[in-house]
Amino acid sequence: MSPQTLHAANGFVTPNASSGLNTPESELESILPIHPTAARRPYPIVVQSENTTYTDDYITAKYVNRGADVVTAVDGQLKITPSEKLYEFRTNRKVPKTGIMMVGIGGNNGTTLCATVLANRNNICWHTKSGIQQPNYIGSLLRASTFRLGTDANGKDVNVPVSDVLPMVHPNDLVLGGWDISGVPMDKAMHRAQVLDWDLQRQVAPHMAALGNPLPSIYYPDFIAANQEQRADNLIPGADKQAHVEHIRADIREFKAKHDLDSVIVFWTANTERYSDIIAGVNDTADNLLASVKASHSEVSPSTVFAVASILEGVPFINGAPQNTFVPGAIELAERHRSFIGGDDLKSGQTKLKSVLAEFLVNAGIKPLSIASYNHLGNNDGHNLSAEPQFKSKEISKSSVVDDMVESNRLLYKPGEPGAKAKGGKVGEHPDHVIVIKYVPAVGDSKRAIDEYYSEILCGGRSTINIFNECEDSLLATPLILDLTILAELLTRIQYRDLAKGADAEFEPLYPVLSLLSFMLKAPLVKPGTDVVNSLSRQRNGLEAFMKACIGLEANGDLLLDSRLW
């Protein structure tokens, strides 16, 4: 047989006489340039200002946070007082060697992320029916999107990749690892997922195999659909949840030591769980939660066990699924240990579009009366969501996305009467919002989403907008996981101080709940007592403003005053 003869091994097609580690099979493939979203660039930005200083170790920047305090008088008049507060931000310039440990690494998202990083790292190009495809990070806010810095001498906007604004981990450099209740080796798990083109799978398979098998994970059958039981063959033994926490902490330490890592991010991309009941004395405080873990209480979920382990180990934990992992006790525990957490639920397709379109309609003075959203998909996520308790978790995270847009315009939506009872969890007038998710195995990872926006327009008129969206679910989710991981690591290197306390005030870490990650999340976790922002444009603007503050720049407005004056 020639070296190119193919054979089937365990259902996976591999070259007969090739390691597969040689990336290209032709001269043409080997000379394709690295895609711009995967390219490495030296840190190109230097802010020349008395407010910004650079040392070998830090970027330090003074920033004036301008706001407005509003008081409503008895007669309804709004009295507004502009406010200013001076802060100083300090960013550690040394980008650490970072690992990502995914819970659910053997699933569609986990295998797609690993294969994507490995393909980019090795510049593996592959054949499709449309021609040769090169690896890239399209879909990543950090790697494939830009921020406007200002204007050049000709008055033209200057835009730079988001990843160039501050020193960040390159996704190619992430060390990959994690846990899964299925022990299938990573190359076979990638094949099982059926997400990536065959020729890419063929070439990246040896790299995936080199990752080995997922670490054993924890499985509490009550929290995920019964249809997942057949996959659960790779488990940390026993039912002692305290022992599980200690096992996971040891896994994190061993992974960090084995790869000589400076930083580790733990990311939940496993199955959606049912909601945990919030019970006084069980999970309402940090001490009660720790006691409940020790007692192996039935309402301590697998994701909360991973969160507790990560918090106690001092590594950031991100929840990419919709369940209420961060019960009040988990948030208090993160505050106590100043350990970073973020979530919930990746915002990749239908919900991201909804957060844009609902905002557009309300900001245009049009009143959505109902939003009906239908999905069907055939991957394992869809299989798990076919169970009612797990669907409820997803329904909650999807349904909250329009809340702040409604609250911002009480000209269109009547506010709730004082003391009025919440209807469907909402106070005041609100659009009817219906969400349906169905499992259709035939379509695999190719999710279909159909939305109808039924709105009131001028003088009792009606408008209907229908949208059909088809997308590869995991190919949209993977860049979000990378962005969340890299941003979480960056935020661990940023400290601040309130200069109103004096020039000798100590620098402090950011608040543990990383609400700056909200652009990538359906149901953003925020500091208790603060409002959730779901508007996609406000989320992006907030992240942009923060990153610019860290280099001493003001957030860009669209006043464009120079173009409006003589």
Side-chain angles (χ1 to χ4, degrees):
M1 284 188 170
S2 73
Q4 299 306 315
T5 302
L6 301 180
H7 72 97
N10 297 325
F12 193 84
V13 183
T14 56
N16 191 34
S18 168
S19 70
L21 293 172
N22 50 316
T23 298
E25 291 240 336
S26 73
E27 291 289 328
L28 177 61
E29 290 175 90
S30 64
I31 62 172
L32 278 179
I34 293 173
H35 194 273
T37 60
R40 295 181 185 273
R41 293 174 293 272
Y43 183 63
I45 295 173
V46 176
V47 177
Q48 297 176 323
S49 165
E50 61 182 12
N51 292 325
T52 308
T53 58
Y54 295 84
T55 67
D56 290 342
D57 296 323
Y58 297 107
I59 302 169
T60 306
K62 292 184 175 68
Y63 178 76
V64 179
N65 188 39
R66 294 182 172 87
D69 299 323
V70 182
V71 175
T72 304
V74 176
D75 61 0
Q77 184 181 55
L78 300 178
K79 297 184 178 181
I80 305 165
T81 305
S83 63
E84 291 186 352
K85 198 165 186 179
L86 184 60
Y87 291 96
E88 192 168 41
F89 291 99
R90 186 175 72 180
T91 305
N92 191 326
R93 301 182 73 177
K94 183 179 184 291
V95 176
K97 185 178 181 183
T98 301
I100 174 174
M101 298 189 77
M102 288 174 280
V103 188
I105 191 174
N108 286 30
N109 289 345
T111 55
T112 302
L113 183 143
C114 291
T116 298
V117 168
L118 292 168
N120 277 284
R121 184 184 297 168
N122 295 283
N123 199 24
I124 296 175
C125 303
W126 65 96
H127 291 277
T128 73
K129 63 183 180 183
S130 302
I132 294 172
Q133 176 66 48
Q134 67 182 136
N136 57 59
Y137 288 113
I138 289 176
S140 163
L141 171 71
L142 301 182
R143 303 296 311 180
S145 183
T146 63
F147 285 162
R148 176 178 172 270
L149 290 182
T151 55
D152 63 14
N154 298 314
K156 300 296 184 182
D157 286 347
V158 176
N159 298 283
V160 298
V162 177
S163 57
D164 289 356
V165 175
L166 288 166
M168 296 186 201
V169 175
H170 192 293
N172 287 7
D173 297 334
L174 288 170
V175 178
L176 307 169
W179 305 263
D180 203 286
I181 61 173
S182 170
V184 173
M186 289 299 291
D187 55 333
K188 301 300 189 292
M190 172 183 65
H191 176 59
R192 177 181 62 187
Q194 300 181 2
V195 174
L196 300 169
D197 287 332
W198 172 83
D199 195 37
L200 172 57
Q201 290 190 47
R202 176 186 66 80
Q203 295 184 74
V204 82
H207 299 279
M208 293 287 285
L211 295 177
N213 294 33
L215 294 169
S217 192
I218 53 177
Y219 174 59
Y220 307 155
D222 182 46
F223 280 91
I224 61 175
N227 57 40
Q228 299 300 302
E229 184 177 3
Q230 60 185 351
R231 292 170 70 108
D233 59 8
N234 185 46
L235 308 180
I236 300 172
D240 185 334
K241 295 184 179 182
Q242 181 66 45
H244 291 168
V245 166
E246 297 306 325
H247 188 113
I248 293 162
R249 292 184 67 181
D251 284 343
I252 295 169
R253 289 194 296 270
E254 290 169 15
F255 181 74
K256 192 172 183 179
K258 177 182 177 181
H259 299 285
D260 193 24
L261 300 175
D262 304 306
S263 178
V264 172
I265 312 295
V266 177
F267 200 107
W268 181 277
T269 184
N271 280 318
T272 295
E273 299 171 338
R274 68 164 176 84
Y275 255 48
S276 297
D277 293 334
I278 307 301
I279 304 172
V282 173
N283 49 21
D284 55 337
T285 69
D287 289 335
N288 288 340
L289 177 60
L290 291 175
S292 296
V293 170
K294 201 166 186 177
S296 298
H297 194 282
S298 61
E299 282 305 307
V300 178
S301 69
S303 63
T304 299
V305 167
F306 272 95
V308 168
S310 300
I311 291 166
L312 295 178
E313 204 55 35
V315 301
F317 179 86
I318 311 297
N319 177 32
Q323 69 273 349
N324 60 339
T325 297
F326 299 114
V327 293
I331 296 175
E332 184 181 311
L333 189 67
E335 291 174 333
R336 178 183 297 176
H337 290 269
R338 295 197 166 196
S339 190
F340 294 109
I341 57 175
D344 296 308
D345 202 6
L346 299 176
K347 180 168 60 182
S348 58
Q350 184 182 52
T351 307
K352 183 173 284 187
L353 181 61
K354 188 180 295 182
S355 68
V356 173
L357 192 55
E359 182 183 31
F360 151 68
L361 291 169
V362 172
N363 285 352
I366 295 171
K367 182 181 181 179
L369 300 172
S370 67
I371 303 172
S373 298
Y374 168 86
N375 304 254
H376 70 260
L377 69 167
N379 60 18
N380 192 54
D381 184 37
H383 196 201
N384 182 60
L385 291 174
S386 63
E388 183 66 17
Q390 286 68 40
F391 164 71
K392 281 295 181 185
S393 293
K394 179 67 76 172
E395 183 182 37
I396 291 168
S397 74
K398 277 178 165 283
S399 64
S400 62
V401 72
V402 300
D403 289 355
D404 57 326
M405 277 78 94
V406 171
E407 187 63 34
S408 71
N409 193 332
R410 288 306 180 184
L411 297 170
L412 296 178
Y413 298 97
K414 297 175 184 176
E417 297 295 330
K421 292 184 178 180
K423 181 181 178 182
K426 316 292 183 185
V427 176
E429 191 180 8
H430 201 275
D432 294 335
H433 196 175
V434 178
I435 295 161
V436 178
I437 301 175
K438 294 297 181 182
Y439 176 53
V440 181
V443 303
D445 202 60
S446 184
K447 181 168 71 174
R448 273 71 165 171
I450 304 169
D451 292 272
E452 179 186 271
Y453 296 80
Y454 180 61
S455 303
E456 180 180 349
I457 55 175
L458 185 69
C459 294
R462 295 293 186 267
S463 165
T464 302
I465 299 173
N466 289 302
I467 297 172
F468 178 83
N469 176 30
E470 180 182 344
C471 60
E472 298 286 345
D473 204 29
S474 300
L475 297 182
L476 288 176
T478 290
L480 303 185
I481 298 173
L482 290 170
D483 284 348
L484 288 162
T485 300
I486 293 167
L487 272 176
E489 188 289 312
L490 169 65
L491 294 174
T492 67
R493 288 185 283 120
I494 297 174
Q495 295 184 312
Y496 77 99
R497 61 180 175 181
D498 181 353
L499 292 179
K501 297 178 180 178
D504 296 330
E506 295 290 325
F507 281 97
E508 298 182 81
L510 301 175
Y511 179 72
V513 175
L514 299 178
S515 57
L516 283 163
L517 306 179
S518 60
F519 181 84
M520 280 73 71
L521 297 162
K522 284 189 183 78
L525 189 68
V526 300
K527 187 177 184 178
T530 59
D531 291 336
V532 176
V533 173
N534 284 299
S535 160
L536 198 70
S537 61
R538 287 186 64 196
Q539 290 170 341
R540 192 181 194 277
N541 290 345
L543 178 61
E544 178 178 357
F546 179 81
M547 291 180 66
K548 287 181 176 177
C550 291
I551 56 174
L553 295 181
E554 295 283 339
N556 280 338
D558 291 315
L559 180 58
L560 303 176
L561 196 59
D562 289 345
S563 68
R564 307 186 198 283
L565 304 176
W566 285 102

